[in-house]
Amino acid sequence: PGMSVARSSSPALSGNCAALMPGFANDFETEALPGALPVGQNSPQRCAYGLYAEQLSGSPFTAPRGANERSWLYRIRPSVKHSGRYRATEMPLWRSAPDDQAPKAALGQYRWSPIALPAEALTFVTGMRTMTTAGDCAGQSGIAAHVALVTAPMEREVFWNADAEMLILVQEGRLTIRTELGLLQIGCGEIAVVPRGMMAKYIPHGPVRAFVCENYGAKFTLPERGPIGANCLANARDFKTPCAAFEDLEEPHLVTVKWGGAFHRLELAWSPLDVVAWHGNYAPYQYDLRHFSPVGAIGFDHPDPSIFTVLTAPTESEGTANVDFLIFPERWMVAEHSFRPPWYHRNVMSEVMGNVMGEYDAKPDGFPPGGLSLHNCMLPHGPDEKAFDAASRGALAPKKLENTLAFMLETRLPQTLTRYAIEEAPMQDDYHACWSGLKKRFNGTPEGDWS
């Protein structure tokens, strides 16, 4: 009884962490008990230990080999034992696209101060606060952007999301994710990706604030590097997938599922996290964003922000993402005779941005860690007055941006604000004022007016 963890030749990240296997989208195999995995076939007449063979598919059976996602699970009880007793339940602050309760919001750029961690007990499910939605979860297109406020563990509760895979970025605290296939543990500046349909318990170690992206579309993958070549950005070896771990607990468990934007629950007399062995490529993973190796200008000018893409979820249009996940980490700024912060911009893509730690160079004021902003399709954005003035007048000596990490979710779809984002979250009503001091410098001369 209790949690059994597989041995692995790959070292654990820390002494209190389960063994992890390196690589991105590899075909893994792992067993928590010796001989639990069948050899040479997927579905033997009788599985070892009296286990049940079950396939979990993340793609159609006929998807091309490179896009085919599936894992074979060998579990104590088949998941059909979880059927027939679901009842509807309400999670009013977790919204899905299209959000029929979203009020009409005035067109403009938006920014929010950090949402305070509450004193009340909130699990990963009850503490989810949706800020924006885009697309259609039933049509498997678009995203939702959330802030998760987690102060209570799901010790005898399990959640699975049939609508989306979830990318979870911890901003404060530390979170254990106990999935069907094994244990993930992430802290500030680390991400976990939980595939669509995978059951998990979410256990905070102290209060946790996290940014969460629900990706309704094609699963996240690594972006093509193009002329960058074979190295840098996010390297496949730095992604970690858990070894098999299982619970054999004959204790009541509450299972919550999100399906079609609605929530349903059932009660079980045991833990459904009972996968003793598994093999395949449809699996959860974690990644430490400190391992991202940025590239940038070492001569002049500011490259497009696409060079900071960690993961991308593609669409049928080449080069156009359902969602890109980008980060702006510690890095050197060395470009000569150039404006170094992000330039002013209007973009067909919509951008949700959050600050994880430190100061974001284009917004030194008003955007503290935990803060969030939205710059929707074709709405202009860029450095505030303070950042513009400093970048325009400062000496262009090499400078390292330290103790900084921000992220961006960029999608091809316009994003809709939720009622919570408009009426309850700490919106900065004066956000637009950060550009009010940008004055006219044109005076008809090549030098302009820099007085």
Side-chain angles (χ1 to χ4, degrees), residues 84-166:
R85 301 185 298 276
Y86 286 98
R87 65 184 189 275
T89 189
E90 295 293 328
M91 300 292 168
L93 298 182
W94 188 335
R95 307 301 302 164
S96 295
D99 184 3
D100 57 5
Q101 294 185 12
K104 293 291 185 181
L107 187 64
Q109 304 91 339
Y110 288 92
R111 189 166 70 182
W112 296 265
S113 299
I115 301 173
L117 283 159
E120 65 180 303
L122 296 174
T123 68
F124 181 80
V125 176
T126 61
M128 197 70 72
R129 304 291 183 260
T130 308
M131 302 296 289
T132 72
T133 66
D136 183 350
C137 69
Q140 299 189 356
S141 176
I143 69 167
H146 316 272
V147 176
L149 309 172
V150 191
T151 59
M154 298 174 67
E155 290 288 359
R156 297 295 180 264
E157 299 179 51
V158 173
F159 172 71
W160 59 283
N161 191 335
D163 291 338
E165 72 173 339
M166 296 187 298

Side-chain angles (χ1 to χ4, degrees), residues 143-204:
I143 69 167
H146 316 272
V147 176
L149 309 172
V150 191
T151 59
M154 298 174 67
E155 290 288 359
R156 297 295 180 264
E157 299 179 51
V158 173
F159 172 71
W160 59 283
N161 191 335
D163 291 338
E165 72 173 339
M166 296 187 298
L167 185 152
I168 303 159
L169 168 56
V170 170
Q171 188 272 318
E172 182 176 330
R174 190 159 187 84
L175 185 67
T176 292
I177 306 173
R178 189 177 296 176
T179 77
E180 291 180 81
L181 305 193
L183 289 165
L184 301 174
Q185 291 190 348
I186 54 173
C188 181
E190 297 176 294
I191 65 169
V193 174
V194 179
R196 185 194 305 259
M198 186 156 292
M199 292 183 286
K201 297 178 178 180
Y202 298 82
I203 302 170

Side-chain angles (χ1 to χ4, degrees), residues 318-391:
E318 185 176 359
T320 303
N322 184 66
V323 59
D324 285 328
F325 171 63
L326 296 77
I327 64 169
F328 305 98
E330 293 187 348
R331 61 199 184 276
W332 280 94
M333 306 288 278
V334 300
E336 300 175 331
H337 51 83
S338 297
F339 185 79
R340 290 179 176 176
W343 13 255
Y344 296 103
H345 190 206
R346 289 179 292 165
N347 189 0
V348 70
M349 306 286 276
S350 298
E351 302 173 0
V352 167
M353 190 166 181
N355 191 4
V356 179
M357 67 176 71
E359 179 182 288
Y360 177 56
D361 60 318
K363 299 285 195 310
D365 295 326
F367 194 42
L372 198 73
S373 67
L374 171 64
H375 301 125
N376 232 325
C377 171
M378 285 303 177
L379 293 183
H381 51 280
D384 61 22
E385 176 191 2
K386 181 178 178 179
F388 176 84
D389 194 62

